[in-house]
Amino acid sequence: FDDSLSRHVQEIIDTMGAKELKVRGHKLLENLFESYIPNSCKEVKLEKRLSATLDGKYPINGILDKIEFDDDVIRIVDYKTGSTENAANELEKGNDYWRQAAYYNILIQESSDFDTKGKSVETRYVFVDDENVDARYSMHDIKLSEQEIEEVKTQIRNTLESIRAANFSDGCGRE
């Protein structure tokens, strides 16, 4: 945490100074290590960099904070700062965190690093600074249907085809 903070201190645009941010970050991490981590799955991969190719022609990649292997469940854990109060809308279908969960699911399923046959893949968001709950963190699981996964795969294909064709007139579809 300290190393990352010192490398990125110039990029942090916030009302909090670097020293104050460091103290707050340590407090949040201590809380997670005392209450969440001991009860979480023990077979894990941390900061896992994945690359895959969708349909043999669309490269996709990402870095996943944590991957838990819990019997027949592969759980992607993504840590978020702040509370779910500010991000609740983003967890809804079609919004940013939902779409990120779908992307991570696709990445795991398409990666040669994991055997997903007979296993379900889900995403858990852990909001590490949730003042609305006693534990000071909250967890929100997203399990996507195959239809939802296919919707996002289609979006990836269409987006990459538009980029390859240098067609930037459609944008991302948002107003």
Side-chain angles (χ1 to χ4, degrees), residues 91-153:
L91 293 164
E92 298 296 322
K93 181 178 178 179
N95 292 335
D96 289 348
Y97 290 168
W98 178 89
R99 192 175 322 283
Q100 180 185 30
Y103 183 82
Y104 284 167
N105 274 248
I106 294 165
L107 194 53
I108 289 277
Q109 291 171 353
E110 298 293 326
S111 169
S112 60
D113 290 10
F114 304 102
D115 179 14
T116 59
K117 189 171 184 159
K119 298 179 182 177
S120 66
V121 179
E122 60 186 43
T123 300
R124 171 172 290 164
Y125 288 106
V126 179
F127 290 84
V128 300
D129 190 17
D130 194 340
E131 297 174 352
N132 299 316
V133 293
D134 290 338
R136 299 283 299 158
Y137 68 87
S138 60
M139 297 181 294
H140 301 271
D141 293 337
I142 296 179
K143 180 138 177 50
L144 297 132
S145 69
E146 284 303 313
Q147 180 182 346
E148 291 171 321
I149 296 290
E150 277 305 314
E151 287 174 30
V152 175
K153 282 183 177 181

